[in-house]
Amino acid sequence: MTLRPTAIVLVSAALLLSSGCSILPESQPATLYRLPSRDIQPVTSDSMATRQRLAVAAPQAGHLLSSNRIVVYPEGNVVNVYEAARWQENAPALLQSRLITGLQQSRLFASVGSDSLPSERLLLSELRHFQSDYATHPPTVKVQLDVQLVSTQNRASIATQSFTTSAQAISTDIPDVVDAFGDASDDLTEQLVNWLANQQEANTLD
């Protein structure tokens, strides 16, 4: 029996698949990264903490920053992402976790958690920048977060502020760039803690 060309192609493909071979290129698995962090020193003792509870919502963000891709500005107005590297979860969730941990360590509030928990105060925010930028070499990580503190009783705005931090990586290697993301995020968390402490001193949170 003579096989037609179409049949020959189908038989060949079946043999390739059955032998474990593939004619498609294999995609390189992505390395997942946590956001590095350092401890935040307590601003006050447990006994001096306000009796109020603070909830921290995940920051709002644009399409690219809402993903788990690690964003990079390689040159000029070009926006890109690192290949084969991902955050372990979406960037807003990463930063939310970092802020919650830092605020818990600060002991400013009776408790700090996500916005799924009951609270008297709610921290809303928008993530404007969370990328490495090759305007410097090695690149510099920039983080910008616009925050709004509101009352959960009537959703009234109590105070607003914008925080911007940066940290230069020690090399262009992705692990070093990830460390710079951690440094910039830690600096932003400390700025936020100090700002909230000032709000307390001004009796804004009483």
Side-chain angles (χ1 to χ4, degrees), residues 42-161:
V43 175
T44 185
S45 64
D46 291 333
S47 61
M48 296 296 292
T50 178
R51 290 171 294 177
Q52 291 176 337
R53 298 166 295 180
L54 176 69
V56 180
Q60 299 295 311
H63 173 71
L64 192 55
L65 289 183
S66 294
S67 72
N68 69 339
R69 304 301 296 267
I70 304 178
V71 180
V72 55
Y73 292 178
E75 59 180 349
N77 295 320
V78 177
V79 180
N80 211 327
V81 295
Y82 286 104
E83 290 296 327
R86 303 282 191 279
W87 296 118
Q88 66 174 359
E89 54 187 333
N90 291 347
L94 278 180
L95 193 56
Q96 178 194 28
S97 296
R98 178 68 196 101
L99 297 178
I100 289 174
T101 299
L103 287 165
Q104 288 172 339
Q105 293 171 339
S106 75
R107 300 178 186 172
L108 280 174
F109 296 89
S111 66
V112 181
S114 71
D115 53 341
S116 64
L117 300 176
S119 65
E120 288 72 46
R121 294 291 183 261
L122 173 63
L123 189 71
L124 302 173
S125 61
E126 180 180 3
L127 186 58
R128 302 287 300 279
H129 291 283
F130 197 71
Q131 79 278 337
S132 68
D133 192 332
Y134 275 79
T136 62
H137 191 84
T140 294
V141 167
K142 179 179 180 181
V143 180
Q144 180 180 346
L145 188 72
D146 298 343
V147 304
Q148 182 179 35
L149 184 66
V150 302
S151 168
T152 56
Q153 295 179 343
N154 54 18
R155 305 294 290 190
S157 176
I158 298 172
T160 61
Q161 187 60 273

Side-chain angles (χ1 to χ4, degrees), residues 6-26:
T6 302
I8 294 174
V9 172
L10 292 175
V11 171
S12 299
L15 290 173
L16 282 172
L17 292 175
S18 64
S19 63
C21 299
S22 174
I23 60 175
L24 299 176
E26 294 184 3

